[in-house]
Amino acid sequence: MPTLTSGPNIGAALKAVRESRGLSVEALAEITRIRRAYLAAIEEMRLEQLPSRPFTIGYVRAYANALGLDGEAAVDRFKLDEPTPDTALREPVGVSNEKDPRLTLVLVVGTLMIGAIVLWNVAQRAMSDQQPPPAAAAPQTAAVSPAAAAPTGPVSLGAPLPAPVESTTPAPYETPGLADATAAGGSSDAVIAAKQAAKANPDAQPVVPAESLPATFAASGTVYGAEPGLSVVTLQARKSTSLIVRGADGAVYFARQLAAGEAYRAPALKGLTVEVSDPAAVQVFVGGQSKGLMPAPTAALEKLAL
């Protein structure tokens, strides 16, 4: 029975064992998944037709294992028969080490283009640094001939312009409360009293005759705030004015620019404060009855309800 030591080399020994087992090269190729040409090259020791040495050693080991032999012993016999050569290992069959010449051409052309662009920019900057700065161009003034400047013949002056308005003229003074009193049909005595009160105390709030204010609350616009049964004090705008309601902690409960006729029902809460931009533009109603105008730009709702 042949063994791994049979024959002049490992290839002949493997071939003798295969033939003694009645196996063909094709059957052994199916078992080892190695090409039939590689197996035949191993048996004939045609190593130049095999891939690199590591691949050949692996094929020898697989060949021996497929025959039921010691794969490592087969590798040792192969290394004994074919010592490690001094030359470099060959590339695996079917692998090409050639480079695409087109890729090299593209790289060379790209490098040349980049170098040309860099050199052009450097040359342009050097030339611009050597050139003297341009002299400032003198402004060109159009020469006007005396003949063209002076018109000849009759000149149309057009219609005379109105006299300019004196910008420092103050606006005419309007007595506070006079317009409301006149519009409401107040008597001449009430108008005269309003004028005298305004002259005596210019800093006081505008005086509006009581007969010009409605005695009870009548909604003539949108009513904001609480429901009628949850409010005691109602503030109604007689003309456009701003109204802000704040809590004791400064939080804003209501803020709006009220138009004439709009009203705000204040909730029955303690510590609420009302701020208005024009006290004469806000009428106070407590329980639906008039309490006159706001006494000051800022007032506590609890005092207004008294």
Side-chain angles (χ1 to χ4, degrees):
M1 179 69 64
T3 62
L4 291 176
T5 60
S6 302
N9 52 52
I10 185 62
L14 292 174
K15 181 178 180 181
V17 174
R18 175 180 63 78
E19 290 177 346
S20 67
R21 302 285 176 86
L23 295 174
S24 63
V25 177
E26 290 77 7
L28 197 61
E30 290 291 333
I31 297 173
T32 59
R33 300 297 180 181
I34 300 174
R35 294 183 182 180
R36 184 176 60 83
Y38 289 170
L39 296 177
I42 291 174
E43 292 178 353
E44 301 296 332
M45 293 300 287
R46 290 182 275 106
L47 303 182
E48 68 278 358
Q49 298 179 4
L50 294 170
S52 60
R53 186 177 178 86
F55 282 96
T56 303
I57 292 174
Y59 293 161
V60 171
R61 182 185 292 108
Y63 196 145
N65 291 333
L67 295 176
L69 303 176
D70 187 357
E72 295 302 326
V75 170
D76 293 339
R77 174 74 188 275
F78 172 78
K79 291 181 180 180
L80 183 63
D81 295 339
E82 293 291 332
T84 304
D86 296 333
T87 57
L89 297 178
R90 296 189 303 274
E91 296 180 352
V93 177
V95 178
S96 175
N97 194 26
E98 296 180 359
K99 296 183 179 178
D100 190 354
R102 294 175 296 178
L103 178 60
T104 305
L105 180 61
V106 171
L107 293 177
V108 172
V109 173
T111 304
L112 292 177
M113 291 180 62
I114 294 175
I117 293 173
V118 172
L119 291 177
W120 173 259
N121 290 334
V122 172
Q124 288 292 328
R125 175 162 298 186
M127 293 173 61
S128 61
D129 292 342
Q130 293 177 0
Q131 292 179 356
Q140 297 180 358
T141 57
V144 181
S145 62
T152 58
V155 178
S156 177
L157 299 179
L161 298 175
V165 179
E166 181 62 41
S167 60
T168 58
T169 303
Y173 176 76
E174 180 180 355
T175 302
L178 179 60
D180 295 335
T182 305
S187 61
S188 59
D189 294 338
V191 174
I192 294 173
K195 289 183 178 181
Q196 292 177 353
K199 291 181 180 180
N201 190 5
D203 297 332
Q205 296 297 327
V207 179
V208 179
E211 58 270 17
S212 65
L213 299 175
T216 58
F217 172 71
S220 58
T222 305
V223 180
Y224 303 95
E227 296 296 329
L230 303 177
S231 176
V232 177
V233 179
T234 303
L235 306 174
Q236 188 176 30
R238 303 177 63 252
K239 57 183 180 179
S240 180
T241 183
S242 64
L243 186 145
I244 302 175
V245 179
R246 301 180 185 273
D249 56 352
V252 176
Y253 278 68
F254 180 81
R256 191 178 182 86
Q257 184 75 19
L258 297 180
E262 293 183 340
Y264 172 74
R265 292 193 186 98
L269 300 176
K270 294 183 179 180
L272 295 182
T273 304
V274 181
E275 300 178 9
V276 295
S277 58
D278 185 6
V282 180
Q283 186 176 359
V284 181
F285 294 90
V286 177
Q289 301 299 318
S290 175
K291 292 294 184 177
L293 301 177
M294 279 282 296
T298 302
L301 279 174
E302 296 177 354
K303 294 184 178 181
L304 295 178
L306 297 178

